[in-house]
Amino acid sequence: MKLTIHIGTTKTGSTSIQAFLAQNHDALRKQAVLYPTGLGPQHHVNATVAALSYGTSPDLFRFCGITDSLAHKEFRTQMSHTLAQQVAQAGPIDHVIISSEHLHSRCVLPEDIQRFQHLFCQDFDETEIVVYVRPQIDHMVSLFSTNLRHGFNGTLDDHITAMIGAKHASYFNLKDVITRWINVFGKSAVTVRPFAALNRKSGGAVADFCRVTNIAPDGPDMSPVAAHNVAINAKGQELLMILNQNKGIPAPTRRKVVAWLEKEFNGSGLKPTPEMVQTVQTQFSQSNAWVTDTYFPNHPEYLAPAVRKATVI
């Protein structure tokens, strides 16, 4: 039996992939594929929390209702048993998929990944790690829009300047992300996919993930997934900034405002200056060169920023 672990990275279509897998849970079973609900109904956040040391990522621990180290220890055991039980009860399956972009963003220590392997990967004949990569500046610009949705009230320059600090180095260094999973599972177990090579004509991230995992997206009873994280254009982002700078708005109202902005202000958001693009990408040039040389030597453009010719709006 094979286990595929999709670790993100963030802002590479993970939400759409997870929504597709969750929405087609029963239909996937007919293809002998299990997307286990016990680790989270759509996003397998429980698997990430089980792998972490107690005291790290307190927001995720609160989300899972874990208040002390003993509860966390019990939670680990429960999640490991839950996966084993769901696999045993699923009937004839030959492929299990776990997906959480928090495995990229929160599991940054060797012991986190080793613990994940011990908890969830022992009963499989083969394990594959799937990770999508994109240029760091594109990633940061996409995160800016997400953070505005959640109340960030600074400018794009403020956001990027914070992102290139030492605190976020392991988050954006793609070589570090990939090698820490290689060090536990082996180089042959890690599949790296370039987000820049995906487009709507080819079906985007969902279609690519289906190709990687040999899922037939058009199989019996399979249904397409609606678009997630719809882009908000520059004017819409500026409106969000104004709201955020004026003490913000309650969460229920914010969700309605964001939905309205996604509908009425859909399009390309604020862009960084060419100087900021160069500053960011120069910081990661050596590690990105390792990624392209190792995984797509004929396509160095996959990690060339899409916003490299952009100007401030």
Side-chain angles (χ1 to χ4, degrees):
M1 187 184 304
K2 180 178 180 178
L3 172 65
T4 293
I5 306 165
H6 169 229
I7 67 169
T9 57
T10 57
K11 311 312 298 180
T12 58
S14 298
T15 302
S16 294
I17 290 171
Q18 292 157 2
F20 171 81
L21 294 171
Q23 180 176 302
N24 289 287
H25 175 271
D26 294 340
L28 287 169
R29 291 271 297 276
K30 297 178 181 179
Q31 296 188 39
V33 177
L34 174 67
Y35 191 61
T37 57
L39 301 180
Q42 178 168 304
H43 168 207
H44 290 150
V45 61
N46 293 354
T48 299
V49 171
L52 294 173
S53 297
Y54 181 73
T56 59
S57 297
D59 58 327
L60 296 187
F61 280 75
R62 286 194 299 270
F63 178 81
C64 293
I66 298 171
T67 57
D68 55 52
S69 59
L70 178 60
H72 185 219
K73 183 177 180 180
E74 293 172 348
F75 182 83
R76 283 176 175 163
T77 301
Q78 178 188 356
M79 288 302 104
S80 182
H81 288 172
T82 294
L83 177 62
Q85 185 178 43
Q86 287 202 296
V87 171
Q89 295 176 350
I93 60 168
D94 54 32
H95 194 176
V96 175
I97 298 174
I98 295 174
S99 176
S100 174
E101 62 270 36
H102 289 326
L103 291 169
H104 149 235
S105 61
R106 308 300 180 99
C107 291
V108 298
L109 299 176
E111 53 264 36
D112 298 334
I113 300 172
Q114 291 165 358
R115 194 178 294 115
F116 181 91
Q117 183 190 46
H118 173 74
L119 289 169
F120 301 111
C121 308
Q122 299 302 305
D123 298 327
F124 297 92
D125 303 312
E126 178 186 358
T127 302
E128 180 180 23
I129 315 300
V130 179
V131 53
Y132 287 84
V133 298
R134 68 185 302 187
Q136 286 80 4
I137 188 64
D138 297 348
H139 190 168
M140 292 176 187
V141 169
S142 184
L143 277 173
F144 172 68
S145 187
T146 297
N147 290 343
L148 285 177
R149 287 167 161 87
H150 290 91
F152 179 73
N153 62 10
T155 66
L156 178 58
D157 276 358
D158 293 336
H159 168 77
I160 294 175
T161 299
M163 291 293 100
I164 60 178
K167 178 181 177 181
H168 300 284
S170 64
Y171 181 92
F172 289 107
N173 189 309
L174 298 174
K175 180 181 178 182
D176 286 356
V177 172
I178 294 166
T179 54
R180 61 179 174 250
W181 287 84
I182 286 177
N183 290 341
V184 175
F185 289 93
K187 184 177 180 180
S188 62
V190 178
T191 296
V192 178
R193 302 293 297 164
F195 185 72
L198 311 183
N199 54 58
R200 290 187 179 183
K201 186 176 180 180
S202 66
V206 172
D208 187 79
F209 187 78
C210 287
R211 287 189 287 270
V212 171
T213 53
N214 294 315
I215 290 172
D218 299 322
D221 303 320
M222 298 287 283
S223 60
V225 66
H228 287 74
N229 297 325
V230 177
I232 297 175
N233 69 20
K235 289 184 178 180
Q237 289 179 335
E238 289 171 348
L239 283 173
L240 264 180
M241 273 190 280
I242 293 170
L243 287 172
N244 296 341
Q245 289 165 358
N246 287 274
K247 298 184 180 180
I249 50 180
T253 304
R254 174 176 293 280
R255 287 191 289 270
K256 293 179 181 178
V257 170
V258 168
W260 176 75
L261 289 170
E262 289 176 342
K263 180 181 178 181
E264 300 296 333
F265 292 85
N266 179 251
S268 181
L270 292 164
K271 305 295 183 184
T273 63
E275 292 77 17
M276 182 64 84
V277 173
Q278 183 176 5
T279 296
V280 171
Q281 291 309 123
T282 298
Q283 180 174 333
F284 298 101
S285 59
Q286 290 187 345
S287 57
N288 283 359
W290 178 87
V291 176
T292 55
D293 290 346
T294 304
Y295 292 100
F296 26 85
N298 296 324
H299 293 281
E301 73 276 10
Y302 287 162
L303 288 183
V307 296
R308 60 188 179 278
K309 295 181 180 180
T311 57
V312 176
I313 296 176

